[in-house]
Amino acid sequence: AAAGFCPCRALLARRGGALRALCGSVRGLAAGPETHFGFETVTEAERREKIYQVFESVAKKYDVMNDSMTLGIHRVWKDILVHKMNPSPGTLLLDVAGGTGDIAFRFINYVRSVRDRQLQRKLKHHQNLSWREISESYQEEKLKSLGDSQVVVCDINKEMLKVGKQKAQCLGYSEGLSWVLGNAEELPFDDDKFDVYTIAFGIRNVTRIDLALQEAYRVLKPGGRFLCLEFSHVSNPLLSRLYDLYSFQVIPVLGEVIAGDWKSYQYLVESIRRFPPQEELKAMIEDAGFFKVDYQNLNSGIVAIHSGFKL
Amino acid sequence: KMAAAGGLRRAGWRLWRGRAVVRWQLYPPQRALRAWAALRSASDEQKKEPFASPPQQPLDPHPGDQQPQEDPQGPRPSYTGQGGQESEDYESEEQLQHRILTAALEFVPEHGWTAEAIAEGAKTLGLSAAAAGMFHSDGSELILHFVSQCNTKLSELLEQEQKLVQLGEAEKKPTDQFLRDAVEARLRMLIPYIEKWPQALSILLLPRNIPSSLQLLTTMIDDIWHYAGDQSTDFNWYTRRAVLTGIYNTTELVMMQDSSPDFEDTWRFLEKRVADAMNMSNTAHQVQSTGEAVVQGLMGAAVTVSNAETSRAVR
């Protein structure tokens, strides 16, 4: 579908791919097994390098591009993810590939409002409070407005974390939030630590998805939940064609116009097509050891939320 | 380009799938290993192991370990099967879910029939509060679990009573007394949760829950009539169950807003309703026998008239 619009670019890419395949066969053994980068074939090491560069270059305009590409619907998707999580105060969340902190901020808001409601209910129950008790409850509110909940944002890319930290400062999120540089395939955390592990629009960029899933299993507490929000496979044929048209014709153009970066957004739409569909991802999650694995399609498959439990 | 991409994609994923398959085949032996280890450890002296970490990875003790260390019954039975008191060394997801819901019931008076109560229940079992995500956020499964538990208890109670009667150690109760006692016993199980029960009733009436709650209700009523000795196979079967369902539901509603000591008003209401039902059935019998008598009279009259006609014709 893309070839119609930009034949010269496609030709260049194919020639580049053929050349790379020739050189790759020579040094391929050293650089690791073959994998894909968008519609190209690269080695694993190359892929990691390329993806790092992609996100380094888009970091500053990441949020703006998200809004313009999805017409703001990505906010709804992320809201639905946090609602599905339904975190209670005291939950420890690990948000992997959460660079600019969207999920983390939503989590904090949600937990804060749940905690407020809890405190209100408690106050309503105890009708005859002494003045001391009332003042203590106000103090408690200020100290524990999150009720011991914490979110750790982990990302492999320094630029994305930088943007996220700046956003947090701007929006005024300070407590219960920490930023860690780490690789999803090799998390720098102990076993059995987190209540919930989320990865929103990040697992597509992980080179070895099975390793990332195993790491997720490792760091989750027993009973912990794995949630993955990702672009997925549209089954409706009409919608699928419209979606393809939009993806390959409009999004790279937007990328060039808004962020000055055609290739990164070309990579983005290609990587969406290369990502396994819902059932395959579900099988991979089950392979990693999760139970009660299920997925929920949003917008008839454009995005899917996969959920699994470590039991 | 699309064909080439498609080919590449298929090849790529075949490679990944191959790896994934190999890894999956590794897993079952690992799980069997854990199960075997559990069998051995269960027979050995009790030792408290860190919870649910696979044998390959080092069991490093991390600070701030959230597992409660005092556990008088020994190591907690976990899904991965490391140490367990039960004869089975692992349980299915269903059983684990039942255990979580049972544990959650003690938090219902405080939190209501909500996901919070389920989260607290999961925490007492040593699981993370996120395990409550396995259930619906409005607590329907918790209520249905509770109702089915109560029904099971009621069946066991009635079974025991029946055994006593069969052994001759107790007298067989008259039907109305039996029904009264059965309904009272069942409603008494609600007493610890009576404050939050109206919430539960409203959730049970949600369209999504109606099939399950209706099925639980009908099986319970069926059980009661079965132990009451009902062996009817005609239309009576339906009327009896409909009547008892009506009695049960109305008594339950009366109980919701009863504030008398030990719910005396409710039991008196129940007594009156059961008595009404009995009277109604007697009246129905009378009506039926009267009806039958009338019909027989008419038939006799018809036969007499037709005989008279034929005899007149013959003559």
Side-chain angles (χ1 to χ4, degrees):
Chain A
F5 180 74
C6 213
C8 44
R9 234 174 243 276
L11 233 82
L12 266 170
R14 215 180 297 164
R15 222 176 276 152
L19 255 175
R20 202 168 292 116
L22 274 173
C23 308
S25 60
V26 172
R27 59 184 161 93
L29 292 165
E34 296 274 293
T35 177
H36 59 88
F37 177 77
F39 288 152
E40 296 171 18
T41 306
V42 296
T43 62
E44 282 190 359
E46 274 182 347
R47 183 191 144 106
R48 287 197 183 98
E49 181 65 38
K50 281 172 167 295
I51 291 180
Y52 193 92
Q53 285 166 358
V54 163
F55 281 94
E56 208 174 26
S57 72
V58 306
K60 293 212 171 51
K61 298 281 182 134
Y62 187 71
D63 292 322
V64 173
M65 274 307 296
N66 276 350
D67 273 333
S68 54
M69 282 192 294
T70 62
L71 308 172
I73 303 179
H74 74 105
R75 296 163 191 251
V76 177
W77 291 332
K78 289 169 182 162
D79 283 339
I80 294 180
L81 178 70
V82 176
H83 266 85
K84 192 174 166 102
M85 197 198 308
N86 195 13
S88 48
T91 304
L92 241 78
L93 171 67
L94 174 63
D95 184 22
V96 174
T100 51
D102 278 338
I103 303 288
F105 302 149
R106 282 173 173 77
F107 171 82
I108 293 179
N109 289 343
Y110 195 99
V111 161
R112 215 177 260 160
S113 70
V114 169
R115 180 106 180 110
D116 283 344
R117 248 185 300 140
Q118 267 184 357
L119 289 172
Q120 266 181 2
R121 232 183 299 151
K122 232 189 341 180
L123 284 178
K124 253 201 289 186
H125 260 276
H126 310 145
Q127 289 298 331
N128 328 326
L129 287 178
S130 70
W131 279 114
R132 175 177 299 179
E133 283 170 311
I134 294 180
S135 73
E136 271 175 9
S137 81
Y138 278 124
Q139 276 183 353
E140 204 186 76
E141 257 182 64
K142 248 184 267 182
L143 285 175
K144 298 170 72 189
S145 71
L146 285 184
D148 296 332
S149 325
Q150 269 196 24
V151 52
V152 176
V153 181
C154 177
D155 201 292
I156 197 175
N157 198 303
K158 269 190 230 132
E159 292 301 312
M160 296 287 278
L161 281 179
K162 228 191 279 180
V163 172
K165 276 192 228 179
Q166 280 171 356
K167 240 172 68 170
Q169 253 187 348
C170 270
L171 298 172
Y173 293 100
S174 51
E175 63 168 309
L177 193 56
S178 42
W179 308 85
V180 173
L181 188 69
N183 183 351
E185 299 168 7
E186 213 179 311
L187 290 171
F189 303 110
D190 283 333
D191 300 357
D192 301 343
K193 264 204 89 187
F194 294 99
D195 290 303
V196 186
Y197 174 109
T198 55
I199 181 162
F201 301 119
I203 202 165
R204 202 176 69 249
N205 303 312
V206 170
T207 309
R208 293 283 304 276
I209 298 184
D210 49 346
L211 289 183
L213 293 174
Q214 282 174 33
E215 281 293 285
Y217 190 85
R218 181 181 69 83
V219 300
L220 276 176
K221 274 192 229 166
R225 189 171 194 184
F226 169 85
L227 282 168
C228 165
L229 174 69
E230 192 52 78
F231 289 107
S232 203
H233 181 70
V234 179
S235 43
N236 180 340
L238 175 65
L239 189 61
S240 169
R241 264 199 297 175
L242 287 171
Y243 181 46
D244 281 347
L245 206 72
Y246 181 78
S247 300
F248 286 103
Q249 316 298 20
V250 177
I251 288 181
V253 175
L254 278 177
E256 184 61 43
V257 165
I258 298 181
D261 193 345
W262 176 287
K263 294 200 70 184
S264 298
Y265 290 92
Q266 179 79 14
Y267 158 71
L268 176 119
V269 294
E270 288 178 359
S271 67
I272 294 176
R273 295 300 174 290
R274 293 292 240 138
F275 191 67
Q278 287 88 327
E279 284 293 333
E280 253 189 77
L281 185 60
K282 174 175 169 187
M284 290 170 81
I285 299 176
E286 282 173 346
D287 285 347
F290 289 100
F291 290 97
K292 288 200 75 75
V293 181
D294 199 18
Y295 61 85
Q296 179 189 359
N297 275 343
L298 303 177
N299 288 115
S300 50
I302 296 182
V303 163
I305 300 181
H306 282 76
S307 156
F309 289 89
K310 172 175 177 174
L311 290 177
Chain B
K1 189 179 179 187
M2 289 310 282
L8 268 172
R9 198 185 324 166
R10 258 174 269 126
W13 279 115
R14 223 172 284 141
L15 222 80
W16 282 44
R17 272 302 252 334
R19 255 179 249 151
V21 164
V22 165
R23 201 153 278 116
W24 187 84
Q25 278 167 354
L26 281 176
Y27 274 171
Q30 286 173 6
R31 288 215 183 135
L33 246 169
R34 269 182 235 147
W36 183 236
L39 276 173
R40 267 191 306 166
S41 70
S43 59
D44 290 350
E45 277 313 299
Q46 312 293 0
K47 46 189 189 305
K48 295 188 177 54
E49 288 182 283
F51 196 70
S53 31
Q56 289 93 335
Q57 297 179 2
L59 305 170
D60 46 326
H62 26 262
D65 194 352
Q66 277 115 342
Q67 313 304 325
Q69 289 304 318
E70 70 289 309
D71 193 355
Q73 291 152 336
R76 214 169 296 109
S78 81
Y79 180 83
T80 53
Q82 293 204 335
Q85 300 277 12
E86 295 146 9
S87 52
E88 284 186 336
D89 47 62
Y90 79 102
E91 55 179 359
S92 67
E93 290 167 24
E94 296 263 335
Q95 288 173 312
L96 182 65
Q97 284 185 302
H98 281 299
R99 276 205 306 144
I100 296 179
L101 291 178
T102 314
L105 284 177
E106 70 174 89
F107 297 98
V108 165
E110 187 190 335
H111 294 279
W113 304 92
T114 55
E116 286 170 357
I118 303 180
E120 293 290 323
K123 277 200 260 189
T124 56
L125 290 181
L127 298 173
S128 149
M134 281 195 282
F135 308 100
H136 221 271
S137 58
D138 61 9
S140 326
E141 279 107 335
L142 184 56
I143 304 172
L144 290 170
H145 173 82
F146 172 68
V147 169
S148 99
Q149 240 188 6
C150 288
N151 291 355
T152 318
K153 267 194 270 181
L154 179 68
S155 297
E156 286 170 8
L157 201 69
L158 295 177
E159 175 90 35
Q160 276 180 348
E161 276 184 17
Q162 196 187 47
K163 271 207 198 96
L164 288 178
V165 168
Q166 281 174 346
L167 291 175
E169 290 173 21
E171 274 188 12
K172 186 167 161 60
K173 293 190 225 170
T175 316
D176 60 342
Q177 178 74 28
F178 183 88
L179 294 178
R180 271 213 325 260
D181 287 343
V183 173
E184 183 178 332
R186 175 64 177 79
L187 287 175
R188 275 191 186 276
M189 298 182 200
L190 299 178
I191 293 181
Y193 307 98
I194 195 80
E195 276 183 31
K196 306 283 182 179
W197 194 246
Q199 180 194 10
L201 282 180
S202 65
I203 292 179
L204 283 179
L205 286 174
L206 288 174
R208 186 185 55 239
N209 294 326
I210 287 185
S212 334
S213 66
L214 208 55
Q215 196 215 10
L216 285 170
L217 179 65
T218 46
T219 21
M220 175 196 43
I221 300 287
D222 201 22
D223 267 347
I224 297 181
W225 269 120
H226 170 77
Y227 285 107
D230 172 36
Q231 309 219 339
S232 56
T233 48
D234 55 353
F235 198 77
N236 272 331
W237 194 91
Y238 293 100
T239 38
R240 290 213 180 105
R241 272 144 193 79
V243 163
L244 188 56
T245 312
I247 296 178
Y248 178 82
N249 282 338
T250 45
T251 317
E252 193 178 23
L253 289 176
V254 165
M255 195 174 169
M256 291 299 104
Q257 41 84 50
D258 185 9
S259 50
S260 58
D262 197 36
F263 301 95
E264 288 168 352
D265 290 346
T266 312
W267 311 135
R268 235 176 294 140
F269 176 86
L270 174 62
E271 202 180 316
K272 279 193 236 146
R273 292 288 82 70
V274 170
D276 281 348
M278 294 290 121
N279 283 342
M280 199 171 66
S281 81
N282 286 342
T283 319
H285 274 154
Q286 285 175 356
V287 167
Q288 195 184 24
S289 46
T290 314
E292 276 175 7
V294 167
V295 164
Q296 277 179 352
L298 285 174
M299 288 296 289
V303 166
T304 318
V305 166
S306 77
N307 281 347
E309 292 283 330
T310 35
S311 63
R312 205 185 302 146
V314 163
R315 241 185 269 137

